[in-house]
Amino acid sequence: MDATTTAAPPAPRFNPLLPYFAVFRTDLRLTVQSWVFRLWVLVSVVAAVGYGLYKFGIHREVGLVQSASEHTGVLLRSVGLVTLAFVSLLALSGVSGERGSVADSVLSRGISRHQYFLAKWHARTLVLLGAFAVLAAVVLTAYHFLLEPDVTLGGGVAATLVALAVLAAVIAWGVTVGALANGTVIGITLFWLALFGAIFLLSFLPDPFPSPVRAVTQMRSVLRGNYDPTEVAKLAGLFLTVALAGAAVGLVGYSRKDV
Amino acid sequence: MAADAAGLVVETSHLTKIYQDRQIALNDLTLGIEPGAVLGLLGPNGAGKTTFLRLVLGLHSPTAGWCQVFGRRMHPNAADVRRRIGYIPTNPQFPRGMSPIEYLDYMGRLFGMTRETRKPKLAKLIRAVDLLPQSGQPISNFTPGMTARLAVAASLINDPDLLIWDEPTHGLDVEARRGMLELIKTLAAEKTMILSSHNLSDVDEVCNHAAVLNKGHLIFHGTLQDLKGKIRKNHYELDLEGDQKSIAKSVQQVKGMKEVISAGLRHRRLELKLTDDVSNTGVLAMVFQTLFDNKVTLVTVRSIGMQTETAYLDLVGKEEQRGFARLYQPQAEAA
């Protein structure tokens, strides 16, 4: 062996997880900075503060007892559809909002479609569920102190967990539809039709079948701590399964789709 | 050159792309690109150039056929192959709110480059593309020239072996275009490049190979010399100086040569068309001798027209005229 042989240049060091975290981190930032996200938070805060102060006034000044669990349920019913609309729009625009040469400039680099889709899905899920969890915690705490304190910790956690599981399913399917649709407008139109159409149709179903309206009405007793933990876990598990199924469809479909 | 040993950098076989059973964007394209080639991808709008590039990058999946890059089949999840490719799309767009440093750092992370390799590389590239004063400013305020330079830097951050640039001089002013062409010449010494362009003079200047697409069909693939060889070569313009009578006399003598098809004089400029049957050097020597004998001075001599452009237009024109014949000789021209 020739002692003077030049050493081979070191092989470039690649971290295979870096592309995932690059898209994840960038999407976290872009989601928080988007006007749709800010508008959703603003609408929710204004509704919660306005409604809470109004009921607080009745509770304190008029002397009529206002139950925190009841009015949290009413608030949820009022802003629920708006929340679903905003959350689905934000989820859907995760992939579909980055089309054309912006998507080219990301997907033509060293990132696989799987990593890209997972990063988008995880980022949107984290931001939206995180924001909802914070809003829910603030509302429950504030209403507990301002109104008649009949919300239990366990009931509040159970109700929030179920709502988060529902939102997780909406986000997963939203990201998937956004990834597979050929345009944001057509995607959101189809998604809203499916989502609100399903809610509308399910509300006609008789008692043993799941109805969103009845579920929101039952929220009051759940918040008071009257719930079966097994049923709550089952419900949350069901929606999480729906979320995972949506993500799996998106993962497979997007890895075969032309961008 | 970091190409695979004795292998083609890009190889396609019967590559076909049909969009939603409605539009045939690429039709049975078979070609190979050797290491070190600078391939000019030519064709009119809608010829399938960008579709071809997107298939090479794995952004699109072929409807039929296959495409290999560095010996590996390209598909949307072939991230490890794309680590060796640098790409500039037409009219590159950037994520909003980012500065060049943030954008290049993002691109480096997308290639999986660790901080130790990424940060020094991006600093070097920002300096190289002359964006140091604007390195912290939002990209959204950049001029097209600055945007193009940033796109160049992004395509080089991973030190790629293959560069795919889709119309890199599109929208650039004269100075920026000149700078881009000089950069391509420099990079061509060590990289394999595919350049899609409408500007034939750019291709003529920097490329050594050409592929011509028309309506999704490959009608030529070979060296630029081969492309130019497809047109009539023996067509010259000579600017002359001397006594008008002597010039007229020499033109008459030139016209008398059997190897000269036509010789027209206009304002001391002689347009000369020679037959293809004989060596042009021999005929030109006789013409020069005639001019010398008549005491006429030759100021300039040049080959007529822009040869690449003429050859390209000839090819596209012939392809249009072939009609059903192209069904039976699909690869005749492309060979």
Side-chain angles (χ1 to χ4, degrees):
Chain A
M1 174 93 50
D2 183 2
T4 60
T5 303
T6 312
R13 291 169 57 200
F14 291 111
N15 180 345
L17 288 178
L18 258 181
Y20 165 84
F21 284 112
V23 174
F24 179 76
R25 210 172 81 173
T26 305
D27 199 59
L28 281 183
R29 190 171 58 82
L30 289 177
T31 309
V32 172
Q33 286 176 350
S34 76
W35 67 267
V36 181
F37 176 79
R38 291 176 178 183
L39 186 62
W40 169 52
V41 172
L42 184 70
V43 166
S44 302
V45 168
V46 167
V49 169
Y51 187 71
L53 285 178
Y54 171 63
K55 290 298 170 187
F56 175 68
I58 295 174
H59 182 68
R60 274 286 172 89
E61 302 303 323
V62 183
L64 292 173
V65 174
Q66 299 294 309
S67 155
S69 59
E70 184 182 341
H71 292 299
T72 307
V74 171
L75 180 71
L76 185 67
R77 198 162 49 211
S78 312
V79 299
L81 292 180
V82 177
T83 295
L84 282 180
F86 275 112
V87 165
S88 52
L89 180 59
L90 282 162
L92 200 130
S93 62
V95 177
S96 72
E98 212 169 62
R99 287 192 184 280
S101 55
V102 177
D104 280 2
S105 70
V106 176
L107 293 168
S108 63
R109 316 297 173 183
I111 185 167
S112 69
R113 292 286 181 87
H114 293 146
Q115 281 189 321
Y116 181 80
F117 180 86
L118 287 173
K120 286 279 181 184
W121 173 43
H122 293 161
R124 297 281 157 155
T125 303
L126 183 68
V127 171
L128 298 176
L129 293 193
F132 184 83
V134 169
L135 285 172
V138 170
V139 167
L140 284 169
T141 309
Y143 280 26
H144 178 79
F145 287 108
L146 294 176
L147 308 175
E148 178 68 18
D150 59 347
V151 176
T152 64
L153 180 64
V157 170
T160 307
L161 277 178
V162 172
L164 288 174
V166 172
L167 284 182
V170 171
I171 292 165
W173 279 100
V175 173
T176 293
V177 171
L180 301 182
N182 286 326
T184 308
V185 175
I186 187 92
I188 195 65
T189 306
L190 290 174
F191 192 71
W192 278 349
L193 275 175
L195 183 67
F196 294 116
I199 291 171
F200 180 71
L201 289 175
L202 284 171
S203 65
F204 287 108
L205 288 176
D207 196 20
F209 297 100
S211 160
V213 176
R214 274 196 301 277
V216 173
T217 310
Q218 285 168 4
M219 189 70 84
R220 181 181 166 185
S221 72
V222 173
L223 287 168
R224 284 177 175 170
N226 303 325
Y227 64 94
D228 179 0
T230 317
E231 285 300 311
V232 169
K234 265 189 194 171
L235 202 56
L238 173 71
F239 281 110
L240 288 177
T241 308
V242 171
L244 288 174
V249 170
L251 198 61
V252 174
Y254 191 59
S255 69
R256 294 174 180 177
K257 188 175 161 48
D258 295 340
V259 292
Chain B
M1 191 75 56
D4 291 359
L8 295 168
V9 175
V10 177
E11 187 179 7
T12 69
S13 174
H14 304 290
L15 195 62
T16 302
K17 182 66 187 176
I18 303 172
Y19 290 112
Q20 297 167 342
D21 287 342
R22 285 180 188 170
Q23 185 197 354
I24 299 170
L26 211 59
N27 178 7
D28 199 21
L29 189 148
T30 299
L31 63 76
I33 301 172
E34 294 171 358
V38 181
L39 179 84
L41 194 58
L42 302 169
N45 286 333
K49 302 187 295 292
T50 299
T51 298
F52 172 69
L53 298 183
R54 295 171 81 83
L55 286 164
V56 171
L57 284 159
L59 294 173
H60 284 185
S61 301
T63 309
W66 50 261
C67 173
Q68 286 189 339
V69 179
F70 300 114
R72 301 271 306 276
R73 194 69 66 93
M74 279 312 287
H75 54 86
N77 283 308
D80 50 343
V81 183
R82 279 197 289 270
R83 278 200 194 106
R84 298 177 65 183
I85 302 175
Y87 175 57
I88 302 180
T90 322
N91 291 326
Q93 305 285 315
F94 303 95
R96 60 186 184 275
M98 282 191 180
S99 69
I101 292 176
E102 287 171 323
Y103 180 68
L104 291 180
D105 190 57
Y106 180 42
M107 291 296 112
R109 282 185 287 135
L110 285 175
F111 281 114
M113 294 166 71
T114 58
R115 178 186 293 268
E116 287 72 24
T117 52
R118 193 172 75 229
K119 296 287 183 181
K121 183 75 180 180
L122 76 87
K124 191 175 157 186
L125 281 170
I126 283 178
R127 185 181 289 274
V129 298
D130 205 17
L131 285 175
L132 209 53
Q134 296 85 19
S135 58
Q137 293 174 12
I139 302 168
S140 49
N141 299 335
F142 278 18
T143 62
M146 289 154 76
T147 305
R149 280 182 276 151
L150 181 61
V152 166
S155 77
L156 296 173
I157 188 115
N158 55 325
D159 198 13
D161 300 317
L162 170 64
L163 287 170
I164 298 177
W165 289 4
D166 197 354
E167 299 186 34
T169 56
H170 179 78
L172 299 184
D173 60 27
V174 176
E175 194 183 352
R177 180 177 155 272
R178 175 52 38 204
M180 184 68 84
L181 292 176
E182 293 304 321
L183 175 67
I184 292 169
K185 285 181 195 169
T186 309
L187 291 168
E190 53 185 36
K191 315 248 183 226
T192 306
M193 299 182 83
I194 303 175
L195 302 172
S196 165
S197 182
H198 279 116
N199 195 328
L200 292 162
S201 67
D202 290 355
V203 171
D204 208 23
E205 185 172 341
V206 298
C207 296
N208 50 33
H209 286 71
V212 182
L213 288 167
N214 187 40
K215 294 178 181 169
H217 192 68
L218 182 70
I219 57 175
F220 173 82
H221 176 226
T223 64
L224 214 56
Q225 283 72 25
D226 289 343
L227 177 63
K228 290 175 181 174
K230 285 187 173 290
I231 60 163
R232 292 179 55 82
K233 296 181 288 290
N234 294 336
H235 192 176
Y236 301 95
E237 269 184 359
L238 286 71
D239 287 329
L240 307 174
E241 202 172 86
D243 177 35
Q244 190 63 40
K245 277 187 178 175
S246 305
I247 292 174
K249 187 181 170 191
S250 52
V251 170
Q252 284 305 316
Q253 289 174 359
V254 168
K255 277 182 178 174
M257 296 176 184
K258 66 177 187 303
E259 297 88 354
V260 174
I261 297 171
S262 70
L265 184 67
R266 196 177 60 183
H267 303 298
R268 298 182 177 227
R269 176 170 288 176
L270 176 62
E271 191 176 318
L272 207 57
K273 287 183 183 173
L274 312 179
T275 62
D276 286 333
D277 306 333
V278 291
S279 159
N280 56 359
T281 48
V283 184
L284 284 174
M286 289 196 297
V287 171
F288 293 159
Q289 185 63 49
T290 305
L291 295 173
F292 175 76
D293 293 344
N294 289 290
K295 296 188 173 57
V296 175
T297 308
L298 181 64
V299 180
T300 58
V301 58
R302 61 181 166 274
S303 179
I304 285 284
M306 189 177 288
Q307 290 195 3
T308 306
E309 187 169 327
T310 313
Y312 163 76
L313 292 171
D314 272 4
L315 268 175
V316 174
K318 279 180 193 166
E319 175 67 11
E320 295 289 333
Q321 289 166 5
R322 282 176 67 195
F324 286 128
R326 63 171 76 98
L327 190 65
Y328 301 104
Q329 293 171 315
Q331 297 300 322
E333 295 287 335

